[in-house]
Amino acid sequence: METDQAVRDCLLNLIAGLEEWGKELGEPPALLRNGHMQFVPLLMLEGKEAPIDLHSLIRLLQKQWMIHFSHDNRQEELGSVSNFHL
């Protein structure tokens, strides 16, 4: 069941990283980057296309998990994503 643990670790990193990023805008947190790096090989094992950068990851999460991001006055700090809400 190593894959199950890998999936859990990946999801925990993604969720915690997105939560942390939503609290303080700026550079994406290490947890989010680690979760992204864990997510890519898991998707590739399934034969699915993997997001190559964080913006692609965010778009995928918005589509698959229906996560909503709001834009505020600090949009320039993060490109097209400026805040995270669950």
Side-chain angles (χ1 to χ4, degrees):
M1 298 275 177
E2 286 182 32
T3 302
D4 289 345
Q5 186 62 45
V7 169
R8 275 192 286 276
D9 291 346
C10 171
L11 291 174
L12 286 172
N13 282 333
L14 288 172
I15 292 166
L18 286 168
E19 232 173 29
E20 186 179 321
W21 201 19
K23 291 177 186 173
E24 179 152 341
L25 300 176
E27 186 69 27
L31 283 173
L32 181 56
R33 290 190 303 268
N34 290 343
H36 177 228
M37 291 299 110
Q38 293 168 313
F39 194 49
V40 168
L42 290 171
L43 286 175
M44 292 174 75
L45 284 173
E46 295 285 322
K48 297 180 181 176
E49 187 175 332
I52 59 170
D53 57 36
L54 284 177
H55 288 287
S56 298
L57 173 66
I58 298 301
R59 282 193 302 272
L60 176 71
L61 296 178
Q62 285 176 315
K63 182 179 176 183
Q64 296 297 320
W65 293 355
M66 292 186 244
I67 292 175
H68 300 285
F69 297 88
S70 66
H71 300 276
D72 62 15
N73 294 335
R74 293 180 274 183
Q75 183 174 3
E76 67 278 359
E77 292 182 42
L78 300 175
S80 63
V81 179
S82 59
N83 205 356
F84 167 73
H85 298 281
L86 277 177

